[in-house]
Amino acid sequence: MTRRYAVFASLLLCAAAGLAVILYATPWGLGLSPDSAVYAGAARSLAGGHGVSLPTAPGDFAAVVHYPPLYPFVLAAGAWAGWDLLETARWLNSFLFGANISLAGWLAFMGTGRVDVAVAAAVLTTTALPMIQTHSMLWSEPLFIFALLAGWILLLRYHRNGGHRGALVAAAAVTGSSALVRYAGSAFIVAFVAVVLLRPAGLRKHRIADAAVCSAIAALPLALWLVRNRVFSGTFTGRRLGFHPIDWSRAYGAMDTMLDWIFAPWWIRDDLERNLIAASLLALGLAAAIRVRGRAKKHGPPPAAERRSLFYLSLGTAAAVYLCALTGSISFFDYQTPLDTRLLAPIYLPLMLTLLCATASEGFPQRSSRSWSPSLVLAVIAAAALQGFSAWPWLALSRTHGIGYAARAWHESATVKKVAGLPTGTLVYSNAPDALYAVLGIAAAMIPRKTHPDTRGQNDLYTREIAAMSDDLRKRGGVVVYFNQVGWRWYLPSSEELKHDAALEAVSIEHDGTIYRLRSTPAPTAGP
């Protein structure tokens, strides 16, 4: 009990520090990306009684199918309570960061029974770039990670309670909810069922029955949501099936991303140096594994071996299945998915916790149950400092200028100010409708795509969609707003191509964008 109280007190302090970090980094609000605009838009539609949908034009809404509904529902709850939606998201992510820090520490305590390892896990979670980045953006990852951590903790309780069904049902329900936050949660449902089947204790028939129960409970909410999508939009997730296998450059990019979590990009710029560091880390990990294996053969299994085997099985299976799911998604459904910090953030914690607990158990043993290993403390301080140096540029940028559509550049944009001066209800097409919605709250439609971004295949309906857009602009007297800084949407036509294909002429030309109208349509009066 004394150790438990020490863990609670230490983790609460780390959680408070994490909450303060996010509030410090977001005076401009949480960073806003294209996905953020979808979450905020769906939450506003829910609060306004339009269901999980997005405004595509003044008075028009389209059902959201590309994203699950739970995160918008949580944000909408704040709006129903009368709170500002963006400020609600900021405080929610801050509290979730504190909660995730605490859960990561408690998970490490469950795996090792050591207070020093629990505190070390909480500290490394607090200073990690993937954790800071995802919690300082209006993304669903904080809630997603919270559901995963809670699910893993309940799963370990199920194992330790001799397969008690109550803990299993709770674990399955929480893990299943992660798939309603992000579709990637379905990979963790598969990992969850696999761990139940591989449970080292218990009769085989009980394991099969338990796996059937948890798979039904975990998969049911997602299945109902997919049926809803099919009914309302004719598709399950809005993704197209194709074959575009992941190549070595993407895998190398993922490794590079994970190296940046520890070694800041401005420290090491040369590819050869980064490859040498990666090879060295791999060699050290292999040497440590061989040493641990040798010690186990010589001295017998270490204390609490079963506890740690369940811990490593749960986290290792989760990380492996998630990586396989990402590979499959990129290869068959969504080629443009980047293996960046955001997408890889869910595997940071299982990798860190596994490495930390294995290293602490074998390399930094305790002298007594109440002592802290000085070597472990020094190693964690060094690792936290490395992580902190990598995370600091992100924190400084967020605090000084804001991130994404929450940045000063968008709020001070000359083109955005021109759009704000258009008459209320003006039809707007744009290459950044999400930016206009995030910054101004104006519903705009996306201009036609020349290429399908998920499959990289040519859009055969491009000419027809351009004609439909032109007809819509002619009937409703709308405009097209083209932002120069939106260079990441390579699948859209350039401003010159759009001007030629849709027969447009410029109404307002600014340094950061242009507002167009049809050549035969009177221009709406814009503001100064």
Side-chain angles (χ1 to χ4, degrees):
M1 290 303 296
T2 301
R3 284 191 298 163
R4 287 176 180 269
Y5 290 143
V7 171
F8 286 144
S10 302
L11 296 185
L12 283 176
L13 287 174
C14 292
L19 185 148
V21 164
I22 300 303
L23 293 179
Y24 169 85
T26 55
W28 298 89
L30 293 178
L32 299 175
S33 71
D35 285 355
S36 305
V38 175
Y39 297 132
R44 289 191 178 111
S45 295
L46 274 167
H50 300 288
V52 187
S53 62
L54 281 178
T56 56
D60 296 333
F61 293 85
V64 172
V65 298
H66 203 75
Y67 302 84
L70 190 54
Y71 187 54
F73 264 106
V74 174
L75 295 180
W80 288 324
W83 303 333
D84 177 76
L85 188 140
L86 296 182
E87 194 63 16
T88 298
R90 182 183 179 223
W91 281 94
L92 173 65
N93 278 22
S94 301
F95 279 107
L96 283 173
F97 192 33
N100 289 337
I101 289 168
S102 299
L103 291 179
W106 188 253
L107 198 55
F109 182 70
M110 293 183 72
T112 61
R114 291 174 53 174
V115 178
D116 55 348
V117 178
V119 175
V123 169
L124 293 177
T125 304
T126 306
T127 59
L129 173 62
M131 296 296 103
I132 290 174
Q133 186 182 92
T134 52
H135 287 79
S136 59
M137 296 289 296
L138 201 157
W139 288 340
S140 59
E141 272 70 18
L143 186 60
F144 182 64
I145 292 170
F146 175 81
L148 295 180
L149 289 172
W152 289 332
I153 288 173
L154 291 168
L155 180 60
L156 289 177
R157 287 185 63 84
Y158 155 74
H159 283 304
R160 293 186 190 176
N161 290 345
H164 190 272
R165 284 281 173 83
L168 176 68
V169 170
V174 172
T175 304
S177 70
S178 71
L180 289 181
V181 180
R182 281 189 57 203
Y183 287 131
S186 57
F188 291 101
I189 295 177
V190 173
F192 184 95
V193 175
V195 171
V196 172
L197 286 172
L198 296 172
R199 184 163 69 94
L203 297 175
R204 184 175 184 83
K205 64 178 181 180
H206 289 167
R207 281 184 281 177
I208 294 175
D210 287 354
V213 169
C214 75
S215 59
I217 294 173
L220 180 60
L222 178 62
L224 293 175
W225 173 254
L226 294 179
V227 169
R228 171 264 186 193
N229 290 350
R230 183 71 176 178
V231 170
F232 281 97
S233 66
T235 178
F236 288 112
T237 63
R239 290 167 171 81
R240 295 170 177 266
L241 180 64
F243 183 62
H244 21 75
I246 190 170
D247 52 23
W248 168 247
S249 64
R250 304 291 290 278
Y252 178 82
M255 181 183 69
D256 213 37
T257 295
M258 288 188 282
L259 280 177
D260 286 346
W261 295 350
I262 303 175
F263 301 100
W266 43 268
W267 282 23
I268 305 168
R269 301 177 183 274
D270 186 76
D271 286 344
L272 177 60
E273 293 179 8
R274 301 181 76 81
N275 289 335
L276 288 175
I277 289 173
S280 300
L281 290 175
L282 184 62
L284 285 173
L286 183 61
I290 293 173
R291 180 172 180 270
V292 170
R293 178 79 173 172
R295 286 184 60 184
K297 285 185 176 180
K298 183 177 180 180
H299 302 290
E306 184 177 347
R307 177 199 315 186
R308 287 205 288 272
S309 68
L310 288 171
F311 180 79
Y312 299 144
L313 175 65
S314 299
L315 298 186
T317 304
V321 173
Y322 181 72
L323 287 175
C324 290
L326 278 182
T327 302
S329 175
I330 293 171
S331 300
F332 293 99
F333 295 103
D334 203 345
Y335 183 80
Q336 67 169 345
T337 301
L339 292 175
D340 57 8
T341 291
R342 180 189 178 186
L343 267 292
L344 295 173
I347 67 167
Y348 168 81
L349 287 176
L351 292 178
M352 181 272 288
L353 289 169
T354 300
L355 179 62
L356 172 66
C357 294
T359 303
S361 300
E362 302 300 333
F364 304 110
Q366 286 179 304
R367 296 179 182 176
S368 70
S369 61
R370 295 186 178 183
S371 66
W372 289 43
S373 169
S375 300
L376 177 62
V377 171
L378 292 175
V380 169
I381 290 174
L386 284 174
Q387 289 191 152
F389 277 118
S390 293
W392 175 250
W394 174 273
L395 289 171
L397 177 65
S398 178
R399 179 167 179 81
T400 305
H401 299 289
I403 300 292
Y405 298 148
R408 285 181 176 179
W410 281 98
H411 287 280
E412 297 174 359
S413 163
T415 302
V416 168
K417 291 178 180 178
K418 287 286 186 179
V419 175
L422 293 173
T424 302
T426 299
L427 175 66
V428 177
Y429 279 85
S430 177
N431 65 333
D434 42 10
L436 292 175
Y437 189 75
V439 177
L440 299 176
I442 291 177
M446 177 68 79
I447 62 176
R449 300 171 172 83
K450 290 192 69 176
T451 304
H452 293 297
D454 46 0
T455 63
R456 301 182 74 87
Q458 182 179 352
N459 180 12
D460 297 329
L461 301 178
Y462 172 71
T463 302
R464 187 182 305 175
E465 291 172 355
I466 284 286
M469 182 186 75
S470 299
D471 187 55
D472 202 16
L473 292 172
R474 183 177 297 106
K475 291 178 180 178
R476 302 172 64 178
V479 297
V480 177
V481 181
Y482 201 99
F483 290 99
N484 300 333
Q485 64 264 44
V486 183
W488 62 87
R489 287 184 170 143
W490 49 268
Y491 47 86
L492 296 179
S494 67
S495 58
E496 289 301 317
E497 289 174 324
L498 189 65
K499 180 179 177 181
H500 174 269
D501 295 343
L504 303 175
E505 63 180 1
V507 176
S508 172
I509 301 176
E510 304 295 339
H511 72 279
D512 62 338
T514 305
I515 299 177
Y516 296 98
R517 61 162 182 170
L518 286 179
R519 290 175 188 161
S520 58
T521 304
T525 303

